[in-house]
Amino acid sequence: MTNIPETGRTSRVRIRLVIIQVLVFSLLCTLGGRLWYLQIRNGDEYSHEAKNNHVQQVVQPAVRGSILDARGVPLADNETRLVVSASRTELMKMKDRGKAVLAQLAGVLDMRPQDVAYKIRLCNNETPQPCWNGSPYQPIPVTNKATTQQALQIRERPEDFPGITAEPTAVRRYPAPGGANTGQVLGYLGPVTDAEIIKAKTTNSPFLRSDQVGRFGIERTYDKELRGKSGVTRYEVDNLGRVIGMARNDPAVPGANLVTSIDARVQGVAEFELNAAMLEARKQIDRNTGVPYKADAGAIVVLESKTGRVVAMASNPSYDPNVWVGGISGKDYAKLTAKESNVPLMNRAIQGQAAPGSIFKVIPTAAAVNAGYKFDGEYPCPASYSIGGQVFKNFESQGHGSITLGQALEVSCDTVFYALGHKEWLKDGGLKPKKNPAQIFYKTAHQFGLGAETHVDLPGEEKGRVPDREWKQRFWEANKDGWCKTGKKGGTYVELLSYENCLEGNLMRAGDAVNYSIGQGDTLVTPIQMATIYAAISNGGTMWNPTIGKAIISADGKHIEEIKPEAHGKLPMDEHTRQQMVGALEGVAVRGTAAWRFGGWPQKQIPMHAKTGTAEVYGKQTTSWFATFTDDYTIVMTISQGGTGSGASGPAVRNVYNAIYGLDMAGKQDLKAALLLHPEAKLPTIQADGSIDSPEIRPYVPPSPEDLAPAPLAGPPAPPAARQD
């Protein structure tokens, strides 16, 4: 075997190393070139493609909690409907901005193309309803009443309906059990707006673009609890839309149920009787004008006297809250906002402001006692009271001789309160007020809670008005220029009034004080304020915040949060004065101005107390007021331009009490027929699966004409004049 020289072996190794180095260098060059190609030459292209690999969110809307009456009857719940929605984002990408697709969709849904287009246009200050007030990036409902056949046409032909979906969806329902509409109390839902989404990001309850939120009523007050939390599943998808994997899954949390103190049966009775009373008032002739009463609006409030909880609250004219479900139509929106409809959206129980008339007299009565006048003292009740050359008449110019303050409440004697109001005005300095005048009549009204909110758990409550000297000054400063411009000495009544207000509208005149003493003039109250006051007179003096929410119960029934009643003050009178006032108000029902409406009432078993009121408003017909209470319940009712207190409102209030206690007009009681002998104490049961144990409810059957035949009075007949207050 021949040996290879050492020099030859070394040469071969070197050659191999060179080859390897060349190969490595070539590979490095190839890799570097490829990296240059990917990152520099085509970097923007691949970066754009990488961005298309993103996370896609799929939202599962949370089931909104039900709103229940005190016994568990649903006032608002959910039902599954086929909802057809349009993606505005997808439609706007099309050349014709989706017009062809929407026209084809309109044909399937049996709608006009214009109506479909209106549904998805965005709201602004100039766009009338219907329009979309929510986020433009979420699917916009076109209809929630699609049939199965219509939904199948859309889903089976997705190429013909790009951006259109048809899905079974839980939507809000307001079933009106037993005829209890409860519209203004419940409120309605609307789509969340971008502004709300941005604002909510700073809170622990953020919105999703698909959320529906409460817009009015207790749907708004308790929106956070009712809404729950929508579920969100996040999928990773590539640029072709293919799912790569699941990034995160947050399941939906259903909203809690709200139990209210409303009793659907009593609510149905209150709504029916309020409407019936207004219809009846329109048949009566106003003796002052010779034409029928307009009875254009009204309200009734039923409270638990001892807690302030709301058992029923009705406002008329009313509306069906179901018109808002799925987006309100232009026709329905016009009805709700038209002047001739008299603003059905307004809850007149908390927003309707009017002079209270004689139901206000409990306040100057308490003020007089606080000022040193004796409740059982003797006070003249002449047919009229004169101040200078101006004469203020008693109702129907009826005089009653010398009477006590209690008797003045019974027969609703105006002149007793005229004299007291005038005397206190003089003590304060009259037209030249003292420094820091006592203003006892006005101060007491503030202490009764007037001119302030009652803190009812509903949005939009009005405060009313106590026209004291400070208010007079502020009002004059705000309106002086207008009065001076339109006022005219020796002109019409309105021109002369403007002229006088221009010169001295900031002064508290004797006439202002006198009119105020009987709840007239510039005084404004709401029905809920007066109901709170009369409930306080009944319960020992506590002014409770009127409350509708009673408890919040989780969807599975395991967690219960009770909403305890809270008070906002005590009546400014001692217990002895309160008891005297309670006795006088019982006298109103037994032998005073309300006695003719409570004939046959079982006074010994169920003591009834009442106060009638007829408020005069310049340029309008009189406003009817009726305030009442028993040990358990307080009811206040008012009808704008409806006539007298006991004449227009009295029968309806009596019928509501009859239904609550199971009474007929003769005072005979049927316990089985009684709707609510005592306020509901127990909470309804909600099962673990979310089902609710709720009793059946039947519509209210009003008494027949035979049942409404006059019954004998519970005491001596009231004087004819007193019967009409």
Side-chain angles (χ1 to χ4, degrees):
M1 183 175 179
T2 306
N3 294 326
I4 298 175
E6 182 68 19
T7 55
R9 185 180 299 170
T10 303
S11 175
R12 290 178 184 176
V13 170
R14 288 178 177 175
I15 291 172
R16 291 172 182 171
L17 289 173
V18 170
I19 292 171
I20 292 171
Q21 288 175 347
V22 171
L23 289 173
V24 170
F25 181 75
S26 298
L27 290 172
L28 290 173
C29 288
T30 301
L31 180 61
R34 185 59 179 170
L35 290 174
W36 176 85
Y37 178 83
L38 293 174
Q39 295 186 8
I40 298 177
R41 188 178 185 279
N42 285 4
D44 291 341
E45 177 183 347
Y46 288 111
S47 176
H48 178 72
E49 291 184 8
K51 289 179 180 178
N52 288 330
N53 294 338
H54 60 284
V55 175
Q56 186 69 262
Q57 290 189 161
V58 177
V59 176
Q60 300 89 37
V63 177
R64 193 172 180 88
S66 296
I67 300 175
L68 311 173
D69 87 338
R71 301 189 308 149
V73 177
L75 300 172
D77 56 11
N78 308 287
E79 64 178 349
T80 301
R81 295 186 190 175
L82 287 171
V83 177
V84 175
S85 302
S87 171
R88 182 179 173 84
T89 303
E90 293 298 320
L91 294 174
M92 293 300 105
K93 292 179 181 179
M94 302 175 188
K95 290 183 179 180
D96 64 350
R97 301 176 73 82
K99 290 183 179 179
V101 173
L102 293 178
Q104 192 166 349
L105 178 64
V108 172
L109 298 178
D110 295 325
M111 297 174 65
R112 295 189 308 169
Q114 183 181 18
D115 292 338
V116 175
Y118 284 169
K119 285 276 190 175
I120 69 164
R121 65 181 177 179
L122 302 181
C123 292
N124 56 38
N125 293 334
E126 298 179 355
T127 305
Q129 289 283 349
C131 58
W132 179 248
N133 195 39
S135 171
Y137 302 106
Q138 71 183 77
I140 301 174
V142 176
T143 181
N144 61 6
K145 299 178 181 177
T147 65
T148 303
Q149 185 178 1
Q150 290 170 337
L152 285 174
Q153 288 185 61
I154 295 169
R155 299 195 65 170
E156 289 176 352
R157 295 156 50 198
E159 68 280 0
D160 293 336
F161 298 99
I164 308 298
T165 58
E167 302 288 344
T169 306
V171 298
R172 206 58 164 165
R173 181 180 75 120
Y174 301 96
N181 176 277
T182 330
Q184 291 94 342
V185 175
L186 293 172
Y188 54 88
L189 304 180
V192 65
T193 65
D194 286 344
E196 288 171 326
I197 292 173
I198 294 171
K199 184 178 179 180
K201 286 181 179 179
T202 61
T203 70
N204 59 0
S205 181
F207 290 120
L208 294 177
R209 294 191 183 278
S210 59
D211 282 339
Q212 292 275 310
V213 297
R215 290 295 176 207
F216 193 64
I218 52 180
E219 288 276 29
R220 175 177 172 182
T221 302
Y222 296 98
D223 177 72
K224 181 180 177 181
E225 293 81 3
L226 291 165
R227 184 169 14 105
K229 184 179 180 182
S230 296
V232 179
T233 302
R234 296 169 177 83
Y235 294 101
E236 293 180 354
V237 297
D238 62 16
N239 63 322
L240 298 178
R242 296 171 299 194
V243 176
I244 300 173
M246 182 185 295
R248 183 176 173 182
N249 180 33
D250 297 324
V253 179
N257 300 295
L258 174 68
V259 178
T260 71
S261 54
I262 298 287
D263 186 288
R265 300 166 302 174
V266 179
Q267 178 71 26
V269 175
E271 291 182 13
F272 180 92
E273 291 295 342
L274 173 62
N275 187 63
M278 292 172 62
L279 292 175
E280 180 61 29
R282 292 170 192 158
K283 299 176 183 178
Q284 307 304 315
I285 300 298
D286 180 0
R287 288 180 297 174
N288 295 322
T289 62
V291 298
Y293 286 105
K294 294 180 180 179
D296 54 349
I300 184 170
V301 177
V302 183
L303 299 182
E304 294 179 9
S305 296
K306 294 181 176 67
T307 65
R309 294 191 187 279
V310 179
V311 178
M313 178 183 287
S315 177
N316 194 305
S318 187
Y319 69 96
D320 181 1
N322 286 297
V323 300
W324 294 93
V325 177
I328 191 169
S329 69
K331 183 179 180 181
D332 287 332
Y333 188 80
K335 287 182 180 179
L336 295 182
T337 55
K339 185 177 180 180
E340 54 268 23
S341 300
N342 203 12
V343 198
L345 290 178
M346 177 188 292
N347 184 349
R348 286 174 166 79
I350 67 169
Q351 296 175 310
Q353 302 177 98
S358 292
I359 69 167
F360 179 79
K361 288 175 181 174
V362 294
I363 294 171
T365 298
V369 174
N370 292 342
Y373 299 93
K374 293 183 179 180
F375 193 93
D376 291 330
E378 293 291 323
Y379 304 91
C381 176
S384 63
Y385 185 83
S386 299
I387 301 176
Q390 192 170 7
V391 178
F392 297 87
K393 293 183 179 182
N394 208 2
F395 191 79
E396 295 193 354
S397 300
Q398 180 83 13
H400 295 280
S402 292
I403 59 177
T404 66
L405 288 179
Q407 291 170 325
L409 288 175
E410 284 187 23
V411 299
S412 204
C413 178
D414 292 337
T415 51
V416 166
F417 295 96
Y418 289 154
L420 292 172
H422 187 213
K423 288 177 181 178
E424 290 304 307
W425 176 79
L426 291 172
K427 285 183 181 179
D428 287 339
L431 291 174
K432 297 180 179 179
K434 301 175 182 177
K435 186 177 182 181
N436 300 320
Q439 297 194 90
I440 187 67
F441 273 34
Y442 299 93
K443 178 182 178 181
T444 303
H446 285 294
Q447 292 171 331
F448 267 80
L450 297 185
E453 296 176 354
T454 64
H455 308 293
V456 62
D457 52 346
L458 289 172
E461 180 185 9
E462 294 290 349
K463 296 180 179 180
R465 182 168 67 207
V466 178
D468 52 21
R469 292 179 185 271
E470 290 75 17
W471 175 83
K472 290 280 288 185
Q473 181 66 31
R474 294 194 304 269
F475 192 70
W476 179 71
E477 291 172 356
N479 295 279
K480 179 184 177 182
D481 292 343
W483 283 330
C484 293
K485 188 175 181 180
T486 60
K488 181 180 179 182
K489 187 176 182 180
T492 64
Y493 174 80
V494 174
E495 291 173 334
L496 179 60
L497 187 63
S498 295
Y499 174 77
E500 292 175 352
N501 283 332
C502 169
L503 297 179
E504 52 183 22
N506 60 329
L507 297 179
M508 178 72 74
R509 304 183 184 96
D512 295 325
V514 165
N515 279 323
Y516 168 80
S517 71
I518 61 165
Q520 298 278 178
D522 294 313
T523 307
L524 293 178
V525 302
T526 63
I528 195 68
Q529 287 176 325
M530 299 312 296
T532 301
I533 288 171
Y534 276 84
I537 295 172
S538 169
N539 68 34
T542 301
M543 291 185 287
W544 293 103
N545 299 350
T547 309
I548 296 170
K550 192 173 182 181
I552 297 167
I553 304 179
S554 61
D556 58 8
K558 294 180 180 179
H559 303 286
I560 300 175
E561 178 187 346
E562 291 195 44
I563 302 170
K564 300 291 186 181
E566 296 182 1
H568 61 266
K570 295 283 291 185
L571 293 180
M573 66 176 83
D574 59 32
E575 179 60 17
H576 179 64
T577 301
R578 189 192 71 83
Q579 290 287 358
Q580 289 178 305
M581 189 177 290
V582 168
L585 295 174
E586 182 175 6
V588 175
V590 172
R591 56 185 173 271
T593 58
W596 70 304
R597 288 307 188 190
F598 286 105
W601 182 264
Q603 191 69 17
K604 291 183 179 180
Q605 292 78 24
I606 309 171
M608 175 61 67
H609 311 78
K611 187 71 195 80
T612 57
T614 305
E616 297 178 357
V617 181
Y618 176 74
K620 292 186 177 182
Q621 296 169 312
T622 55
T623 297
S624 169
W625 285 92
F626 205 58
T628 60
F629 63 83
T630 62
D631 290 343
D632 288 314
Y633 301 106
T634 297
I635 301 181
V636 170
M637 180 173 169
T638 182
I639 300 177
S640 169
Q641 303 195 87
T644 63
S646 59
S649 299
V653 172
R654 172 69 187 266
N655 286 340
V656 175
Y657 275 119
N658 284 350
I660 288 174
Y661 289 112
L663 297 167
D664 62 18
M665 292 302 290
K668 183 179 179 181
Q669 188 173 37
D670 181 356
L671 295 179
K672 292 182 180 179
L675 297 183
L676 201 62
L677 282 174
H678 303 288
E680 187 68 43
K682 298 187 301 181
L683 292 174
T685 300
I686 297 176
Q687 305 294 345
D689 62 357
S691 60
I692 301 167
D693 294 341
S694 59
E696 293 184 6
I697 179 172
R698 291 176 294 181
Y700 169 60
V701 179
S704 64
E706 293 78 14
D707 295 331
L708 295 176
L713 295 174
R723 293 186 183 183
Q724 298 302 312
D725 188 24

